[in-house]
Amino acid sequence: MTNAMAVQVTIYLNESDRWQKRPLYLELLNYLRSENVYGAVVYHSVAGFIGRSRVKTASLVDAGGNLPLVLSFVDLDEHVQRVLPKLKEMASHRLIVRENVVVEQGSLD
């Protein structure tokens, strides 16, 4: 599948985001896994901001679980089209970015 077209989705979250009283990032990962999306990862920041909020860092005493998280996954367009409506519902208040990418190496099988 080298040089095949795929779609990468990135969702900008916050540690304190919840879905049905559980951490949103875990619920998103569980949903993506249950839908057989090829793979997904959550990056935990050491510093950052979301929207127009102030910069938060891991060294701030008052960070209190408010650091930004980034969830990213890559799959074929038809899989992304299938899961995107639920992702938009679950993370309705967060930025979701979708971009076409080229698989340079490996396979989405």
Side-chain angles (χ1 to χ4, degrees):
M1 183 179 237
T2 303
N3 293 323
M5 293 303 295
V7 175
Q8 179 173 315
V9 175
T10 305
I11 305 174
Y12 295 87
L13 305 167
N14 188 301
E15 284 178 315
S16 62
D17 289 337
R18 297 285 181 257
W19 174 256
Q20 299 177 347
K21 299 183 182 180
R22 292 184 291 273
L24 177 59
Y25 73 95
L26 284 177
E27 293 302 304
L28 290 169
L29 283 176
N30 288 330
Y31 171 70
L32 292 170
R33 180 67 191 114
S34 73
E35 291 294 323
N36 293 316
V37 167
Y38 180 73
V41 64
V42 174
Y43 301 99
H44 190 270
S45 68
V46 295
F49 64 93
I50 292 180
R52 310 253 186 283
S53 67
R54 68 182 181 88
V55 173
K56 301 206 169 60
T57 68
S59 62
L60 284 178
V61 174
D62 64 346
N66 249 351
L67 289 171
L69 303 172
V70 177
L71 183 147
S72 181
F73 70 95
V74 176
D75 209 329
L76 300 174
D77 185 54
E78 55 266 22
H79 296 156
V80 172
Q81 289 289 348
R82 187 183 73 244
V83 301
L84 209 48
K86 183 68 173 180
L87 298 178
K88 288 179 179 179
E89 176 189 345
M90 294 172 76
S92 62
H93 59 296
R94 292 301 181 202
L95 179 66
I96 299 175
V97 178
R98 172 197 166 115
E99 56 191 321
N100 293 328
V101 295
V102 176
V103 176
E104 290 291 332
Q105 183 172 315
S107 172
L108 296 177
D109 295 333

